[in-house]
Amino acid sequence: MPFRLLVPLGLLCLLLPLHHGAPGPEGTAPDPAHYRERVKAMFYHAYNSYLENAFPYDELRPLTCDGHDTWGSFSLTLIDALDTLLILGNVSEFQRVVEVLQDNLDFDIDVNASVFETNIRAFQTPTGMPYGTVNLLHGVNPGETPVTCTAGIGTFIVEFATLSSLTGDSVFEEKARVALMRLWESRSDIGLVGNHIDVLTGKWVAQDAGIGAGVDSYFEYLVKGAILLQDKKLMTMFLEYNKAIRNYTRFDDWYLWVQMYKGTVSMPVFQSLEAYWPGLQSLIGDIDNAMKTFLNYYTVWKQFGGLPEFYNIPQGYTVDKREGYPLRPELIESAMYLYRATGDPTLLELGRDAVESIEKISKVECGFATIKDLRDHKLDNRMESFFLAETVKYLYLLFDPTNFIHNNGSTFDAVITPYGECILGAGGYIFNTEAHPIDPAALHCCRRLKEEQWEVEDLMREFYSLKRSRSRVQKTISSGPWEPPAGPGTFSSPENHSRAREKKPAKQRIPLLSCPSQPFTSKLALLGQVFLDSS
């Protein structure tokens, strides 16, 4: 899943007793402690190779031991690796890298960046759906194509709602919600969405419907946005999509691609990006179906030692020119969620197989290389940033049941603020689509504090407005008939007052990040819905 600049995402999952594997004969669960250390070593081999050979470029080229820019020329791999350092327990390196990035990172550069990959801006269209690419210095280029993939439109609510909560500026969340709603309104009569749409006209350009590339994180963010924001409408939207997906695309626990208006099969393939789906199913409690689909995908991994980008389901083999495996995390991600929910040792076996395969096939002197072809294990000269952000992180968390990320609410940090006490780090973290965790408690705290702050500000405005109005009345009463004073002190009707309140947020000047942020020693966290409005 693509990169998100604003750190963090997570999920809803019932935490059941875990089965702790131990070394033993073939068929028994792998030893978590052994593989946890193996995964940590994998991370530092890749991380140190990037720092020594590629920084400040976006990504490492592991075969030539140098670097290159890919998504925007802002040291992408280093940003993506940040919270993995915390999850591995390396707080000092996390602090060092934060200082390096603060001193050197600059987004005001003349670079065309993917809006989806960087999650920044470009929503000024007639439909409210964003362009696919934006220049970070100049905005949308005049000749920019208006055709954007569905995921590129619907994958903003987690980060943008977080940004609105932390800054007090609602415009970010509003833009993301409009984009979500426009996609919802554009679905077909049978309840499906296509793959690419024209953001100027709202017309579907690619009408293939499925759960994979070009669509995937739209569905993911409906679920995660619903959990993060306690938003029933977003969950209802996903559940309606889920019905249509099961009715038209599901066959024997595989998910095919179909024509969005007719439901007829257009591509009987499994894409590696679809492997996130069992994990998403686990978040809505559909464990049985999630495990069935996961086991289908796991058979493909066993066949090749990785997931090819495309797999022809009827033929049981790779698709021409789609035989590669760029070390994607999605199947490992699903294994982590399902293991937390079930404790099934089969899920640890996938983790073991992933470690063994990646180390055997992909490890080179300067990191880990993309597998160009799973049939002969030829390598490509690229290590994408998601390898450190997601693949290694999910592997480590799969084998580390006591990691703070898996906190079930038994421990937390209490932070005293000018507005009262806030609870942070109690669990329930939401992973964004690049596996960066967001603490929903922090959002709940900041949003609540902002609302209380706004209420106080409203009362103060009313009070001073009333004083100014009375003062003006006293000044004019001796010089003739009284007339309502103009300007800020004007007494208004309830209707006018309501309209004034609706415009209020645009005029507020609230300091950025005025909600107390966690110290580095405070923990992130994830997995599980723990904070409700009544808490």
Side-chain angles (χ1 to χ4, degrees):
M1 302 238 162
F3 164 69
R4 300 342 252 152
L5 281 183
L6 282 176
V7 184
L9 214 230
L11 329 136
L12 167 64
C13 184
L14 180 62
L15 302 182
L16 299 179
L18 301 180
H19 298 196
H20 299 284
E26 186 69 23
T28 62
D31 175 19
H34 169 76
Y35 280 97
R36 188 163 61 244
E37 292 307 308
R38 293 268 299 273
V39 173
K40 184 181 289 188
M42 288 171 62
F43 172 83
Y44 283 112
H45 177 63
Y47 179 74
N48 291 332
S49 294
Y50 168 77
L51 290 180
E52 293 168 6
N53 300 286
F55 179 78
Y57 291 103
D58 279 343
E59 292 181 353
L60 169 70
R61 298 202 301 177
L63 301 185
T64 52
C65 298
D66 56 13
H68 65 148
D69 286 329
T70 51
W71 295 114
S73 188
F74 32 66
S75 305
L76 178 57
T77 294
L78 194 58
I79 295 174
D80 256 355
L82 261 180
D83 48 45
T84 306
L85 288 167
L86 278 184
I87 287 170
L88 297 181
N90 195 339
V91 176
S92 60
E93 177 66 1
F94 174 84
Q95 292 174 317
R96 185 190 74 81
V97 173
V98 167
E99 292 174 1
V100 168
L101 292 172
Q102 286 178 333
D103 292 341
N104 298 284
L105 200 58
D106 182 10
F107 292 108
D108 292 324
I109 51 179
D110 190 4
V111 169
N112 291 331
S114 166
V115 177
F116 177 52
E117 298 291 345
T118 52
N119 198 338
I120 297 176
R121 55 187 179 273
F123 289 79
Q124 298 302 319
T125 66
T127 63
M129 295 185 282
Y131 282 94
T133 303
V134 64
N135 185 283
L136 298 185
L137 188 61
H138 303 295
V140 177
N141 290 324
E144 177 61 36
T145 176
V147 177
T148 306
C149 71
T150 303
I153 294 167
T155 311
F156 293 94
I157 189 64
V158 169
E159 292 88 355
F160 277 28
T162 298
L163 190 57
S164 285
S165 291
L166 294 178
T167 64
D169 189 342
S170 63
V171 67
F172 305 106
E173 182 175 339
E174 290 168 0
K175 293 290 186 182
R177 285 186 179 277
V178 167
L180 285 177
M181 289 308 301
R182 293 299 174 265
L183 283 175
W184 172 252
E185 293 163 359
S186 301
R187 68 195 188 282
S188 69
D189 290 341
I190 61 174
L192 298 173
V193 290
N195 201 272
H196 283 75
I197 194 170
D198 188 313
V199 300
L200 299 181
T201 66
K203 302 292 184 183
W204 288 103
V205 176
Q207 298 181 359
D208 294 307
I211 61 171
V215 183
D216 46 7
S217 50
Y218 170 46
F219 297 135
E220 177 189 0
Y221 271 37
L222 288 176
V223 173
K224 293 178 176 180
I227 297 170
L228 182 67
L229 304 174
Q230 298 291 289
D231 191 310
K232 294 181 180 179
K233 187 173 184 179
L234 295 181
M235 184 61 76
T236 298
M237 290 162 64
F238 174 78
L239 294 176
E240 286 299 312
Y241 278 130
N242 195 38
K243 289 179 187 176
I245 289 167
R246 293 173 69 171
N247 286 339
Y248 293 100
T249 76
R250 184 183 177 195
F251 294 88
D252 293 332
D253 300 310
W254 296 93
Y255 291 84
L256 312 182
W257 288 83
V258 302
Q259 211 281 339
M260 66 176 288
Y261 293 104
K262 301 176 182 178
T264 53
V265 175
S266 59
M267 291 190 295
V269 300
F270 156 60
Q271 299 178 350
S272 62
L273 284 170
E274 297 172 12
Y276 78 98
W277 189 256
L280 195 65
Q281 287 178 301
S282 75
L283 299 185
I284 62 170
D286 193 3
I287 303 297
D288 289 343
N289 286 319
M291 281 299 297
K292 291 175 183 177
T293 298
F294 174 87
L295 292 174
N296 278 349
Y297 298 167
Y298 189 15
T299 61
V300 179
W301 183 288
K302 289 180 177 178
Q303 184 179 352
F304 296 101
L307 291 185
E309 293 288 70
F310 281 29
Y311 179 82
N312 187 302
I313 297 170
Q315 296 179 3
Y317 207 63
T318 60
V319 174
D320 187 41
K321 298 181 180 179
R322 294 292 187 273
E323 305 94 347
Y325 171 55
L327 310 183
R328 292 196 186 278
E330 284 75 17
L331 188 61
I332 301 164
E333 172 188 359
S334 285
M336 186 204 71
Y337 287 128
L338 284 169
Y339 186 64
R340 296 297 299 169
T342 68
D344 189 328
T346 302
L347 301 156
L348 292 181
E349 293 171 15
L350 176 277
R352 174 200 64 202
D353 292 350
V355 172
E356 300 292 349
S357 295
I358 292 172
E359 286 205 323
K360 180 179 180 180
I361 302 171
S362 178
K363 186 176 182 180
V364 294
E365 182 181 353
C366 294
F368 292 86
T370 287
I371 302 172
K372 186 175 183 178
D373 193 328
L374 279 166
R375 298 170 301 176
D376 57 17
H377 295 170
K378 288 182 180 177
L379 300 179
D380 201 2
N381 194 19
R382 187 176 184 187
M383 187 183 81
E384 297 205 43
S385 68
F386 58 66
F387 179 65
L388 294 181
E390 301 182 74
T391 308
V392 172
K393 182 183 296 169
Y394 286 132
L395 274 173
Y396 191 82
L397 290 173
L398 174 62
F399 290 118
D400 190 14
T402 62
N403 193 282
F404 70 83
I405 283 288
H406 298 316
N407 186 5
N408 63 2
S410 58
T411 62
F412 54 84
D413 296 317
V415 178
I416 305 300
T417 77
Y419 302 95
E421 186 176 73
C422 269
I423 300 300
L424 299 174
Y429 279 66
I430 306 297
F431 273 130
N432 81 342
T433 195
E434 190 75 1
H436 298 307
I438 296 174
D439 187 349
L443 265 66
H444 178 81
C445 169
C446 291
R447 187 179 296 268
R448 179 165 53 84
L449 296 185
K450 286 290 184 293
E451 289 171 355
E452 292 173 354
Q453 183 175 334
W454 290 340
E455 288 175 8
V456 172
E457 289 177 356
D458 282 347
L459 288 173
M460 294 300 290
R461 279 195 193 91
E462 258 185 67
F463 174 74
Y464 284 111
S465 174
L466 198 59
K467 280 189 67 177
R468 286 195 298 270
S469 298
R470 286 175 177 168
S471 173
R472 293 182 184 184
V473 169
Q474 291 172 353
K475 289 178 181 178
T476 59
I477 196 166
S478 61
S479 59
W482 177 83
E483 294 180 1
T490 302
F491 289 101
S492 59
S493 67
E495 292 80 6
N496 289 337
H497 186 60
S498 297
R499 285 196 292 270
R501 285 180 61 84
E502 291 173 0
K503 296 178 181 178
K504 167 182 61 68
K507 297 180 179 180
Q508 288 181 332
R509 298 180 62 85
I510 298 173
L512 293 180
L513 300 178
S514 58
C515 181
S517 58
Q518 297 186 52
F520 290 126
T521 52
S522 294
K523 297 178 172 64
L524 298 169
L526 167 143
L527 290 177
Q529 176 180 319
V530 293
F531 286 93
L532 302 172
D533 291 338
S534 59
S535 63

